[in-house]
Amino acid sequence: MDADDERDARLTRAVELAAEARARGDHPFGALLVAPDGTVVEVLNSVLTDRDPTGHAETNLVRAAARRLEAGELAASVLYTSTEPCAMCSGAIYWAGIGTVVFALSSSALTAIVEEQSRAAGRGDEAEPTLELSSRELFARGGRTVTVVGPIEVPGGAEVHAGFWA
């Protein structure tokens, strides 16, 4: 398997995790981290099931990975996520020292999906709030480099959100 195939397989897994989160009643986001030794840590979003607004997949992943891996391992790890990390998650990734982030759906594409579904449902001003700040922009303001790769189109990346935000 070449590097692009492995990347796409990891992103596809992140989308599968997002579908699992949605199936159990949470927001449709999933993430995994691959350490240099091959250790894989997988998590789901838990905003609704844990009643925790910080329970985004990436913040849950930072917590879980930091418990298992040393700082040097985190720096050399790759975080794969179904959707580009929001500002909160990007901050957590930055402070954890994770070196690379790869995402499927961009935050701007997610915003468009949320707004379209909210309009279609007649929600207007009651739409799910979003933050228009790309992870690249946030990381660029930091004192160390975080490599960002994405968006990468993978099967189900946008579809996992179908009808959820209505």
Side-chain angles (χ1 to χ4, degrees):
M1 181 180 300
D2 74 5
D4 285 350
D5 289 341
E6 181 178 347
R7 175 202 66 204
D8 291 355
R10 300 291 189 187
L11 287 173
T12 298
R13 179 62 184 146
V15 171
E16 291 169 354
L17 292 167
E20 287 179 35
R22 181 177 178 166
R24 75 172 192 190
D26 276 303
H27 295 170
F29 301 100
L32 61 110
L33 182 130
V34 180
D37 68 357
T39 297
V40 177
V41 181
E42 296 183 343
V43 299
L44 309 177
N45 180 288
S46 62
V47 167
L48 300 175
T49 54
D50 285 350
R51 297 180 55 164
D52 177 2
T54 69
H56 293 197
E58 298 88 349
T59 55
N60 289 342
L61 184 58
V62 165
R63 289 181 194 111
R67 287 185 198 109
R68 293 182 61 185
L69 303 170
E70 299 296 326
E73 293 172 303
L74 288 170
S77 293
V78 179
L79 186 153
Y80 296 89
T81 184
S82 61
T83 305
E84 182 175 7
C86 72
M88 175 183 70
C89 294
S90 294
I93 291 163
Y94 178 83
W95 291 116
I98 295 169
T100 303
V101 174
V102 183
F103 64 88
L105 188 70
S106 71
S107 60
S108 60
L110 175 64
T111 297
I113 289 169
V114 170
E115 289 174 354
E116 178 184 329
Q117 289 181 19
S118 293
R119 274 194 308 276
R123 290 179 55 208
D125 292 340
E126 296 174 20
E128 187 74 26
T130 59
L131 280 172
E132 283 291 325
L133 179 64
S134 76
S135 59
R136 282 185 176 88
E137 185 178 344
L138 189 140
F139 292 137
R141 296 175 182 266
R144 67 174 185 77
T145 300
V146 177
T147 302
V148 179
V149 180
I152 306 292
E153 190 171 324
V154 296
E159 292 79 8
V160 73
H161 296 278
F164 183 83
W165 306 102

